[in-house]
Amino acid sequence: MDDVDLQRWAWERANALPGATAEQPFGPDWDVAKVRGKVFMLTTIHGSEPLLTLKADPDDGRALREQYQQISPGYHMNKRHWITVHPGEKVSEELVKELVTESYLLVVAGLPRARRPLGAAALRPG
């Protein structure tokens, strides 16, 4: 895995999600993906390392941190509800896209039904 793949894969997935927008509300060093004004993904470069920060269910976040050395508590975010993915050989395109989708779905689930983007419900497995 090339370090730049991490963020490229994340943005490929985020840009395909219903109602997702990209902004830079924290300045040019942070790219932020939102759905209906709520953040579900942040990317930045820390030192020379690309970082991907995503919302995660606390139990899932804990399990991911135990399973992957490349996943840590959310950088500059609530450590219980956010994770940061660092580049590494175990971080696959499939994992990145799955984590981006799950982050998006967590945020959408917190929106009033009337504000949820059309098509978002179809992304939930099962």
Side-chain angles (χ1 to χ4, degrees):
M1 166 188 180
D2 188 315
D3 283 358
V4 296
D5 289 341
L6 175 74
Q7 291 183 350
R8 182 174 54 82
W9 295 334
W11 280 104
E12 283 174 2
R13 183 61 186 144
N15 289 331
L17 295 168
T21 61
E23 301 178 15
Q24 290 185 315
F26 310 121
D29 294 338
W30 287 88
D31 293 310
V32 178
K34 294 183 177 183
V35 59
R36 300 294 195 250
K38 302 289 185 183
V39 175
F40 70 90
M41 181 178 88
L42 302 98
T43 60
T44 192
I45 305 292
H46 181 66
S48 62
E49 181 182 44
L51 300 180
L52 167 63
T53 300
L54 302 161
K55 192 164 186 73
D57 171 82
D59 291 334
D60 291 345
R62 188 177 320 104
L64 287 163
R65 289 189 303 273
E66 289 172 4
Q67 184 177 359
Y68 295 95
Q69 179 181 353
Q70 297 84 2
I71 298 180
S72 63
Y75 178 68
H76 282 308
M77 301 296 279
N78 179 302
K79 306 298 185 218
R80 181 168 152 72
H81 295 279
W82 291 84
I83 58 171
T84 293
V85 183
H86 305 260
E89 124 182 4
K90 288 189 175 182
V91 178
S92 68
E93 180 176 3
E94 181 181 353
L95 175 65
V96 169
K97 291 184 175 186
E98 181 181 317
L99 293 174
V100 170
T101 302
E102 187 57 33
S103 179
Y104 169 88
L105 290 171
L106 284 169
V107 172
V108 167
L111 296 171
R113 286 194 192 278
R115 295 205 61 225
R116 294 178 187 170
L118 292 175
L123 298 170
R124 175 84 44 211

